[in-house]
Amino acid sequence: MRLSAELARWFDNELWQHEGSGEYREPIPPSDLIETFPEAIWPGLMPPDFLPVLGNMAGDWLCMRIGPMGEVAEIVQWYHGGGDWLPWGNSLAEAIVFDAISPWLPGPSRRHAIPAEPMRASQSTASDPLLDWALGELSPKIGAMIAEAVIAEAVTDANASRGEKLAKQLIGCGIAEVALQSEWVQRLLSDAEASALDADMGLAKRLGVSRQQLNEWLFDFEFMPAEIRAKVLADRHPHQDWDLASEHCRRVTQIAPHLAWGWDLLGYAAIRSGQLVEAAKYFAQGMTRSVFTDQSIRLRTHWKVQQAGKFSAAMLQELLDGGRFSADDIASEYDPDYLAALCAGEETRQELVTEYWLGRSDRSSLAGNYAAAFDEAYAAGWDLGAATLPAYGQVLDRLVEIAEAGGDAARAELARTHRRCLSDRLGI
């Protein structure tokens, strides 16, 4: 593994011996990371190119995602409640800064499931060695800007506009941009009173509709019937800015094309504006991205889960079935066999998707294209997720084999470590 100068300083200066005051405040000692069975690794659920570095003492981790050259490609927040993940920065310093300012950012801060412990509403940053280190790793201008807003406690719940201003400034500087864009899009597509309906698990039953139908209405308020709005929102008309949200999503697809959620929302926004062929192309891109990157609960795209394994796949299939444009217009954009696997019944789709990607990986390996073979074998386990735990063992074995053949030593060893953890804890 090749550590950046920043990460080398993190380990060499023993910052991992200190506890911070943010949510992700518990560093992992390097000795723990090189154990035979690192406790922080969740084999199967956690992707095999993730190496945890900071925890929140509730099972969630900030992880280094290792790239094909052994580099740390990005720092991601990995959520144990479903395996979903989101980049929090290109560096550990960016991720720590995002953690520090997150309580005051615009957006509803929805989680993927009920957290193991409550999210902090605020924190004291007056004495936080991890944040102090992170600010020192950024440029003096950015460090001073954040220090003024956070350490001086200029950003407070009573002054949320400062949080919004800070988010804009950091996005402009490219700091934790993907995570900040995610918060911003949630804000543009949310309404305070409508968002509160998420927590009312009995609401759908009282309204006489399915939870799936209610989720669809909350995703796009335009389709909420007037009689329902009268019951739950007192005839208020919640506002969503789909145009501005699509601009933010377009930026996300440019800087992080490996994430699903930007493509998902960009495609839906294109449908709303009548651009069906463009929407289909966006969905074709989105459906090849891991379902663990779709932010489906936070962004409410999970109402399509019964129809297909991914929102993009369900929407693309609907567009094709609707016959409002020629399938030839997008024939080069997607593989019909893959779309069929994603749209199969819930009891078979994971197995079909795993088989699809393993078949592609085998063909790439035979052609000597080990980079593609690794990505495809990776997708066999972490596109929709494998159907059984033993299947993860088979995929991890395959990843080790491919990485070694392709000279990808760092990811071979990391996948081997995940494989050992799977065997040790689950006997697989």
Side-chain angles (χ1 to χ4, degrees):
M1 184 189 304
R2 294 191 297 108
L3 294 180
S4 64
E6 178 217 64
L7 284 168
R9 287 190 289 271
W10 168 268
F11 289 111
D12 291 344
N13 296 336
E14 300 185 343
L15 267 298
W16 44 269
Q17 293 201 44
H18 302 279
E19 185 174 306
S21 63
E23 180 179 2
Y24 290 86
R25 57 189 179 272
E26 186 176 51
I28 300 178
S31 58
D32 289 1
L33 296 178
I34 61 175
E35 288 182 351
T36 304
F37 311 107
E39 184 178 349
I41 286 179
W42 291 51
L45 189 60
M46 181 180 284
D49 55 350
F50 284 18
L51 187 62
V53 63
L54 265 174
N56 68 350
M57 297 187 286
D60 310 321
W61 297 96
L62 294 184
C63 301
M64 299 180 284
R65 189 171 76 86
I66 308 305
M69 303 302 294
E71 79 283 8
V72 177
E74 58 191 351
I75 304 296
V76 302
Q77 186 256 11
W78 179 82
Y79 185 60
H80 81 282
D84 302 275
W85 59 271
L86 177 71
W88 271 20
N90 294 319
S91 69
L92 184 57
E94 288 185 31
I96 290 173
V97 163
F98 178 77
D99 186 37
I101 67 173
S102 61
W104 303 285
L105 291 175
S109 297
R110 285 186 294 270
R111 285 296 181 107
H112 296 272
I114 300 173
E117 64 180 30
M119 290 180 65
R120 70 193 192 285
S122 61
Q123 66 176 9
S124 171
T125 55
S127 178
D128 186 335
L130 304 188
L131 181 58
D132 290 344
W133 171 82
L135 294 176
E137 291 292 327
L138 302 177
S139 72
K141 176 183 177 181
I142 294 172
M145 177 176 65
I146 298 169
E148 176 186 358
V150 181
I151 296 179
E153 297 181 350
V155 177
T156 66
D157 292 334
N159 193 7
S161 63
R162 293 297 297 271
E164 183 173 314
K165 177 182 177 182
L166 181 60
K168 288 181 178 179
Q169 290 174 320
L170 292 177
I171 287 175
C173 296
I175 302 297
E177 185 174 357
V178 173
L180 287 164
Q181 294 281 16
S182 173
E183 297 290 326
W184 206 270
V185 169
Q186 287 181 64
R187 174 179 179 271
L188 292 169
L189 299 181
S190 296
D191 175 271
E193 291 189 36
S195 294
L197 301 177
D198 282 328
D200 188 348
M201 299 306 295
L203 178 60
K205 183 176 181 179
R206 295 197 303 275
L207 295 175
V209 301
S210 67
R211 184 70 196 186
Q212 181 180 353
Q213 179 63 78
L214 179 59
N215 287 334
E216 181 179 354
W217 291 336
L218 293 176
F219 174 71
D220 189 343
F221 301 149
E222 182 177 324
F223 296 107
M224 183 178 287
E227 62 272 19
I228 298 296
R229 183 180 294 113
K231 289 181 180 179
V232 300
L233 293 173
D235 283 327
R236 289 184 61 253
H237 291 269
H239 177 68
Q240 293 175 301
D241 193 335
W242 279 97
D243 291 337
L244 185 53
S246 66
E247 291 181 20
H248 286 277
C249 288
R250 192 179 307 278
R251 171 61 179 167
V252 170
T253 62
Q254 293 169 351
I255 62 176
H258 56 298
L259 306 179
W261 65 268
W263 299 107
D264 289 351
L265 295 184
L266 201 55
Y268 187 81
I271 287 179
R272 295 179 97 255
S273 61
Q275 299 174 316
L276 301 188
V277 173
E278 288 303 308
K281 291 179 179 179
Y282 293 138
F283 290 139
Q285 290 286 332
M287 76 175 187
T288 61
R289 275 56 180 182
S290 171
V291 72
F292 300 108
T293 68
D294 66 8
Q295 301 293 301
S296 62
I297 300 300
R298 287 171 172 160
L299 297 170
R300 295 200 182 102
T301 54
H302 58 307
W303 53 279
K304 284 290 186 183
V305 69
Q306 293 180 350
Q307 199 169 326
K310 297 179 181 179
F311 179 80
S312 281
M315 298 302 296
L316 177 59
Q317 189 63 65
E318 277 192 10
L319 288 173
L320 291 170
D321 292 344
R324 296 175 63 185
F325 59 87
S326 171
D328 293 339
D329 293 336
I330 61 164
S332 63
E333 303 288 336
Y334 75 103
D335 183 341
D337 292 338
Y338 178 52
L339 177 59
L342 288 170
C343 294
E346 291 183 79
E347 69 282 357
T348 60
R349 66 175 63 135
Q350 285 179 293
E351 184 176 354
L352 291 172
V353 168
T354 293
E355 291 175 356
Y356 171 87
W357 285 117
L358 286 177
R360 287 192 50 164
S361 179
D362 287 343
R363 293 191 290 273
S364 295
S365 290
L366 288 173
N369 188 348
Y370 296 113
F374 185 94
D375 290 343
E376 290 156 350
Y378 186 107
W382 290 272
D383 185 11
L384 277 190
T388 65
L389 285 171
Y392 282 111
Q394 297 166 9
V395 171
L396 286 167
D397 288 338
R398 185 81 179 109
L399 286 171
V400 172
E401 178 186 339
I402 295 170
E404 288 180 337
D408 190 348
R411 290 198 295 184
E413 181 56 35
L414 187 51
R416 188 180 294 110
T417 300
H418 280 249
R419 182 67 178 92
R420 287 197 302 266
C421 290
L422 186 66
S423 177
D424 177 67
R425 291 175 204 168
L426 300 173
I428 295 171

